Amino acid sequence: MAPGLVEPAVSKETARSLQSVTTEYDETLRFYLNGTKVTLDTIDPEITLLEYIRGIGLAGTKLGCAEGGCGACTVVVSQRNPTTGKIQHASVNACLAPLVSVDGKHVITIEGIGDTKRPHPTQERIAKSSGSQCGFCTPGIVMSLYALLRNTIDPTELEVEEAFDGNLCRCTGYRPILDAAQTFSSKQACGKAAANGGGGCCMENGNGRSSGGCCMDKASLDDDQPIKRFTPPGFIEYKPDTELIFPPALHKHQFKPLAFGNKRKRWYRPTTLQQLLEIKSAYPSAKVIGGSTETQIEIKFKAMQYTASVYVGDIAELRTYYFKEDHLELGGNVILTDLENICLKAIDHYGPVRGQPFEAIHKQIRYFAGRQIRNVGTPAGNLATASPISDLNPVFMATNTVLVAKSLDKTIEIPMSDFFKGYRTTALDPDAVIAYLRIPLASEKGEYLRAYKQAKRKDDDIAIVNAAVRVSLDSSNVVESCNLIYGGMAPTTIAAKEATAYLHGRSFTDPATLEGVMNALERDFDLRFGVPGGMATYRRSLALGFFYRFYHEILTEINVKGLEIDETARYEIEREISFGKKDHEASRAYEQKVLGKANPHVAALKQCTGEAQYTDDIPVQKNELYGVLVLSTKAHAKLVAVDPKPALDLPGVVAYVDHNDLPNEKANWWGAPNCDEVFLAVDEVFTAGQPIGMILANSAKEAEAGARAVKVEYEELPAIFTIEEAIAANSYHNHYRFIKKGNVEEAFEDAEHVFEGVTRMGGQEHFYLETNACVAIPKPEDGEMEVWSSTQNPTETQAYVAQVTGVQANKIVSKVKRLGGGFGGKETRSLQLSCIVSLAAKKMKRPVRCMLNRDEDIATSGQRHPFLAKWKVAVNKDGKLQALDADIFNNAGWTQDLSGAVVERSMTHADGVYLFPNVHLRGRVCKTNTVSNTAFRGFGGPQGMFIAESYMEEIADRLGMPVERLRQINMYKAGEETHFNQPLEDWHVPLMYKQVIEESGYMARKRAVAEFNSKNKWKKRGIALIPTKFGISFTALFLNQAGALVHVYHDGSVLVAHGGTEMGQGLHTKMTMVAAEALGVPLEDVYISETATNTVANTSSTAASASSDLNGYAIFDACEQINRRLEPYRRELGPGAAMKELAHAAYFDRVNLSANGFYRTPDIGYVWGENAGQMFFYFTQGVAASEVEIDTLTGDWTPLRTDIKMDVGRSINPAIDYGQIEGAYVQGQGLFTTEESLWLRSTGNIFTKGPGAYKIPGFRDIPQEFNVSLLKDVEWKNLRTIQRSRGVGEPPLFMGSAVFFAIRDALRAARKEWGVEDVLSLQSPATPERIRVSCADPILKRATVKPREGEKSFFMSI
């Protein structure tokens, strides 16, 4: 048995007792899958629903995180809901669902609703609306929309928008998905309207239009959106009556008690409460499972084992509810989705006053996890797991809910105040279950209850702190009873005892009461600086802030004259329904037959139907083994001993691979450009997550168990983690660069002002939805091998696989069909897995497969580099910049990887778009004991520009000048030279800056922001206007080349191969368009199958936003060769001759219909040190304006509006380019706000290694109004690219910082409110914690926790 935390083994006596109880139980699982009956007599008890459906070949459903946080694995499970009596079509996470949970139900996967020949309307609309880029998340998104439509024929706009709260997408920026989904919604309504779950819109509240304007004032969405509501022209009509029916046999399905399994594990599925209690009596430690939302994570990531598990989701008695006279009786196993609806019914039944507890529960559930979790999670499960940050437990405690627990021989009542005994422990007896809850009603008069929550992200996130506060007042407003209950402040959900005691008996309306409670809360929650979970100051400020909000909210309701009520503290931020528009006329002027048209992604429909194949979808090979990495758990240590024997003794484990299996010692070394990293550790590890070896087994589960069983002994060594620690220790990689222009020393002496500052920004996890994956297939002859991998770099994969297998590169074929996202993270770091898997395949002479778990991928693959810059700027009093001097550092991690090139690009972008006559920049690469950081969309450019905009903001503050004016004064003019002496041609930033100001009404909105801020103490708005220029070219000269191979076949069809990989950016789409236009054939006649090193050799990685330029011209070159050969036949057969006729005639004349094209970027070649030569071929440019609103009591915030204008030249495909702009912007917004990577100080291991802890933006984090346009009506005289287009993959990302700087603008107003006007140096990302602790208000000051001598924080940011 695999090691791990194992519950007590079943004694023979207990086993006999359990067997006697379950002797009559059935052993057969029966369900329907996509309309077909499935009967399983032999079942692996350890597999999930996802493992089952993928195992039988339905590969459309994807594995993204294995913790129910990304939605890639979403399927629909249809059943007769025992709570409602109706057929329910529930979206669920197949990665968490045990197979036993689908007995008697109908499972519908992406394959079951449509295919490319007959797509479902959801699939077609998302595909045609550019709602799928890499496509890995798309099946899950489609299934969430499908579930909504099956349950709600006429959904509201809010229901559509919230249907995706359990789904993540890293590519699209969500806007096109929402546009497609909203074609199914009913009429437009305000997101704040009561009908949409809000607190009441400005019209409903009787306040007239809000200060920010009314959504009804905005132009009709029907006019702005490219898609009309309901059935747009050219789209399949949605007909609910044509859907897959609920199988008639399941209407009559008799749920029988089930018992099945093997020696390792057995499942029990009772169908009555009596059966459940009998099982628990016979075996008290049997694990009770409802939604499996926590248990499966324990099994997957914590190696927990439960030899007996009891699924209770089909016990109808536990899924009932009753409206009693003074309470709601709620079955413990009612699913949270049903509880949402029950709460609304209860409010209607009891009225809003007595129904206050249900309003509070409903509010907390709305933001609890995603819909897929709420469709299976239950109150009893929530209570039994005893999470200290449960959103429901504070409400249950505050309402004095009573739990009714049953065991076989007794029924006991447990008040919620007595239920939690310690961290993850409760008062529930081992043989008892929570049968139901009694939730009391509020009193008709004088009782008030509210619930609060703050998380890193509004939707689908666990709380940092939550609370439920209840007071009961007599007729004189004296507190008769009260509960102040908090989560996230202690190891359990806890009452604020001193505050409760103080409040009891006090006059609630006496201002001294508020002050007294706040003082008591400080004593209740006297957190130390290094408290587990960190964020001590923030958590205390939330505890105080929640009560402050409650107090003023209730004062308003009491309505006593003469009270001073802080009105702006009452309301939380609520979003409107998001919308946006694009300028679809921008490319009309240069449209050709194919080029310039907004065609959908060529694989979009395949991706929407689940037919698109990714690496792990490749069918299992004969005799295949599965590999799992053995990773270091120490940040820096000597390897004393590595013993694989315990693993090799486990069933299914076949072999262990380590550095001893390499052909020679040199073969272990890799890295680009410096060979300073080993594939497999030898006698020392330098970071947690460094590969030591690989276990090979017959299945993934057996390999995982084997990897955990390998015994590794360490001798720990000192470790360095942060940039600051590296600087102090003089720990650097051997890479130093400088750029020097003019005389900075003289400029500083002559300048009227010299300002200094430090800019710090964190890294960013790529979070591509498809983790690194590889299948290596050895051939029987000459050491040949075929390697399929999820890589941006097939050629380097080929080279290093040849190295580790000891053959020449011509024996290795590296292939890529498509990637489920890359963003630079698979440029070099993918090589590590591919080479270890290939080494294993060579050793075993058998195919080997590995797809990393999300936590493994994050621990091993590196991130965007954290940066620190120490800068000094000379500026005159008129705002004219004179000199810039800066030391720029990045955190490379333990090896150099591409860190040198990343710091170089940051240096070339540290000017932003501003002219400095004198510049001296120095770049260093810090060496630390963290994962080796790597390429990420922007590649140092965003970090350099962030440094630039940070000093611009701080200079403007110090000069007392509007920052927009400072930017305009110093903005480059056309023809002026950068600090690396490159003149700016086709320079349009000043023009776009002016256009965005005018088109977005920026100046009027800036005045409106100031007016809003003057009237709102605890809500502040900010607005920012950020320009960007991004240099296009690899800075390594040799990479600026590309090859292509074009075949024309007899039937006139065209096959294109090029060196770029498709990872969602639409490269294959653009390349087929280039070929179709060049050859004069319809787009549908051109096809790209895959990227492979045996068709196009010596390719560059798909990166640097240069792939369309490079591969496009290579394809054009090949097509031109073919066109020259076909020219005589065109003359002979006429201009209208089809390619089929031309090819046929040419073939019989023995004319070559294949061509090998090539392109190399001209003119470039910068020389470091000399500061000479051209660095970039051209610059892609853009401007973004963003407006935000922050809640200074909590740090919560929302992006109100963003307007983007990009200069992409003459777009090859505007639909693709718009998708890249929106997606990059939202990824950039995440970089600068929600995405914070944290490491555990105690171990040096990364903490944020999954969607539970690491928060990329979700559907309801994007700007509420999101407008994008392309620059038009200009000439690009000097742009010598294919179609005169500009690269667009990376440049828009930095514009996401407009949100960061808008937050900073709002914080300036917040600080000014309290008389603090010093210059704010805000570190990125601007998380809710950083926002809150920057506000400088009295509540924050009293909540501030300072470290004691030698005390350090729980987490660290590297």
Side-chain angles (χ1 to χ4, degrees), residues 931-944:
V931 63
S932 189
N933 289 315
T934 191
F936 194 147
R937 196 178 203 167
F939 201 80
Q943 293 98 317

Side-chain angles (χ1 to χ4, degrees), residues 814-831:
S814 171
K815 291 189 172 187
V816 180
K817 186 70 176 178
R818 61 174 57 79
L819 283 67
F823 314 115
K826 297 174 181 175
E827 184 175 346
T828 59
R829 304 312 300 171
S830 60
L831 304 178

Side-chain angles (χ1 to χ4, degrees), residues 558-677:
I558 293 172
N559 202 20
V560 175
K561 289 183 180 177
L563 290 178
E564 187 177 330
I565 298 173
D566 197 338
E567 287 284 347
T568 65
R570 292 169 49 204
Y571 299 111
E572 298 179 44
I573 288 175
E574 289 181 354
R575 279 178 63 94
E576 295 179 5
I577 304 298
S578 65
F579 67 97
K581 58 177 183 269
K582 306 181 185 77
D583 179 4
H584 291 282
E585 299 301 312
S587 61
R588 293 274 191 258
Y590 50 81
E591 267 187 16
Q592 299 176 49
K593 286 183 179 177
V594 181
L595 292 178
K597 291 189 174 175
N599 291 304
H601 192 292
V602 288
L605 192 54
K606 282 185 287 214
Q607 291 164 189
C608 289
T609 60
E611 293 167 76
Q613 189 181 72
Y614 300 83
T615 301
D616 196 47
D617 299 336
I618 294 169
V620 175
Q621 307 294 303
K622 185 178 180 182
N623 215 22
E624 182 180 282
L625 293 171
Y626 199 94
V628 168
L629 293 172
V630 177
L631 300 174
S632 163
T633 59
K634 305 295 181 185
H636 188 201
K638 287 182 180 177
L639 290 176
V640 177
V642 179
D643 182 10
K645 190 174 183 306
L648 296 171
D649 290 339
L650 294 177
V653 174
V654 175
Y656 175 70
V657 176
D658 67 7
H659 66 93
N660 294 305
D661 296 300
L662 287 155
N664 53 65
E665 189 178 321
K666 189 178 177 183
N668 199 16
W669 290 90
W670 71 287
N674 293 337
C675 221
D676 61 350
E677 184 168 356

Side-chain angles (χ1 to χ4, degrees), residues 735-935:
H735 188 97
Y736 172 75
R737 287 283 189 258
F738 69 90
I739 299 176
K740 192 167 186 179
K741 180 176 183 177
N743 189 328
V744 292
E745 291 81 8
E746 193 175 286
F748 285 126
E749 286 176 13
D750 296 342
E752 291 167 318
H753 297 286
V754 175
F755 300 126
E756 296 184 50
V758 176
T759 297
R760 182 76 154 87
M761 72 176 285
Q764 184 181 28
E765 165 56 33
H766 301 88
F767 215 96
Y768 28 68
L769 266 289
E770 178 205 29
T771 59
N772 274 288
C774 178
V775 181
I777 307 167
K779 305 291 183 178
E781 297 179 21
D782 303 320
E784 281 187 272
M785 190 176 290
E786 184 176 279
V787 181
W788 291 90
S789 65
S790 183
T791 182
Q792 295 171 237
N793 201 341
T795 290
E796 207 161 358
T797 301
Q798 175 194 33
Y800 276 114
V801 168
Q803 175 182 303
V804 300
T805 57
V807 298
Q808 290 180 302
N810 60 5
K811 308 294 195 308
I812 307 296
V813 179
S814 171
K815 291 189 172 187
V816 180
K817 186 70 176 178
R818 61 174 57 79
L819 283 67
F823 314 115
K826 297 174 181 175
E827 184 175 346
T828 59
R829 304 312 300 171
S830 60
L831 304 178
Q832 180 174 262
L833 181 68
S834 298
C835 290
I836 296 172
V837 168
S838 299
L839 173 65
K842 186 217 174 192
K843 174 179 178 174
M844 302 308 297
K845 297 183 173 59
R846 294 169 65 175
V848 175
R849 175 188 305 256
C850 178
M851 182 177 184
L852 296 180
N853 287 328
R854 176 65 57 187
D855 61 327
E856 294 169 331
D857 192 280
I858 290 176
T860 61
S861 65
Q863 304 194 349
R864 183 187 298 280
H865 292 74
F867 264 70
L868 183 147
K870 300 176 180 179
W871 50 263
K872 184 162 78 168
V873 175
V875 58
N876 288 343
K877 60 185 177 184
D878 63 358
K880 198 71 176 169
L881 299 170
Q882 299 301 314
L884 169 64
D885 182 273
D887 287 292
I888 300 175
F889 306 88
N890 71 13
N891 190 332
W894 78 282
T895 66
Q896 193 166 322
D897 193 77
L898 299 171
S899 303
V902 169
V903 83
E904 289 170 9
R905 184 172 278 266
S906 74
M907 294 164 68
T908 64
H909 287 70
D911 59 333
V913 298
Y914 312 111
L915 175 66
F916 284 92
N918 307 284
V919 176
H920 188 193
L921 303 177
R922 298 161 298 280
R924 297 301 299 266
V925 178
C926 295
K927 186 175 185 178
T928 61
N929 295 109
T930 63
V931 63
S932 189
N933 289 315
T934 191

Side-chain angles (χ1 to χ4, degrees), residues 350-372:
Y350 295 116
V353 176
R354 300 189 74 205
Q356 286 180 85
F358 313 112
E359 180 65 47
I361 292 170
H362 185 269
K363 177 187 174 187
Q364 297 302 78
I365 293 176
R366 183 181 176 192
Y367 297 113
F368 176 88
R371 176 58 64 194
Q372 295 90 322

